[in-house]
Amino acid sequence: ETILLFGAGIGITPLVAVLKEIYQIGVPQDQQVRGPISPHLRNIYLVWSVRDSKSWTWFFGVIKQCLKASKANPVLPRLRIQGFVTQPDEAMEGLQKHLATSGEDFFTVNEGRPNVAECIDRMESYMEPGPKRIGALSCGPKDLVNRVWDTCNRRTKGAVVYDCH
């Protein structure tokens, strides 16, 4: 039902490939899958941390296309994005203003490193109560991957199960 993607730096590359597949970005219209890739997948949460705001240019266009597809097609999973810039620069303010004025309530950029537990808390606040299985995929520095793994394993209780990869 839900996929949680954590990426840091260039670790975003395989996660973007997952998003492009789900949202059919770059696939000619006549070759696109009609309907959802999985009928059970309803939500995708992406957390991406970069050193400086210029790094957002790596995949900003593709991520915006995925977000647009998520909003335009109700059968596709809803996409929410939390971004983090660990060494804010002058371009950071411009990025935040752009997102604020474009009405992107599903895309935020913050200063600092992601607090994994807080990111998961935010994700869970959007979810319906009840049993759920959440796939968590992280790609980046070992410290981030370990924090995601540990946090998800601690939160696996009863009817809420995190599958970490």
Side-chain angles (χ1 to χ4, degrees):
E1 182 177 300
T2 301
I3 296 176
L4 174 60
L5 305 172
F6 271 91
I10 201 65
I12 191 69
T13 306
L15 305 181
V16 167
V18 169
L19 292 175
K20 286 176 69 174
E21 177 68 21
I22 291 169
Y23 295 106
Q24 301 287 287
I25 305 301
V27 177
Q29 191 75 21
D30 63 332
Q31 296 176 20
Q32 289 185 1
V33 174
R34 302 291 177 226
I37 298 293
S38 166
H40 305 290
L41 183 57
R42 302 176 85 193
N43 299 292
I44 298 177
Y45 300 92
L46 172 67
V47 177
W48 183 23
S49 176
V50 295
R51 182 172 292 141
D52 55 55
S53 53
K54 292 177 186 160
S55 299
W56 277 95
T57 60
W58 296 340
F59 293 111
F60 190 73
V62 172
I63 289 172
K64 293 275 287 185
Q65 285 180 294
C66 293
L67 193 58
K68 183 179 178 182
S70 165
K71 289 179 176 181
N73 189 340
V75 301
L76 292 174
R78 196 58 139 166
L79 176 62
R80 287 187 170 88
I81 302 164
Q82 273 187 280
F84 292 87
V85 178
T86 60
Q87 297 176 7
D89 52 23
E90 63 281 348
M92 170 93 174
E93 188 176 325
L95 178 60
Q96 288 174 321
K97 281 183 183 176
H98 171 73
L99 292 174
T101 59
S102 66
E104 293 294 352
D105 55 341
F106 293 100
F107 193 164
T108 61
V109 178
N110 310 285
E111 293 182 13
R113 296 185 186 282
N115 178 313
V116 173
E118 288 177 8
C119 291
I120 292 175
D121 285 344
R122 184 172 180 190
M123 175 205 64
E124 288 179 348
S125 75
Y126 294 118
M127 297 172 68
E128 305 261 336
K132 56 188 77 51
R133 188 172 203 105
I134 301 162
L137 177 61
S138 56
C139 190
K142 187 176 181 178
D143 179 58
L144 173 69
V145 172
N146 288 341
R147 283 186 286 136
V148 171
W149 179 270
D150 292 343
T151 304
C152 288
N153 283 328
R154 278 194 307 273
R155 287 175 180 250
T156 295
K157 294 179 186 143
V160 178
V161 177
Y162 281 87
D163 292 319
C164 296
H165 301 279

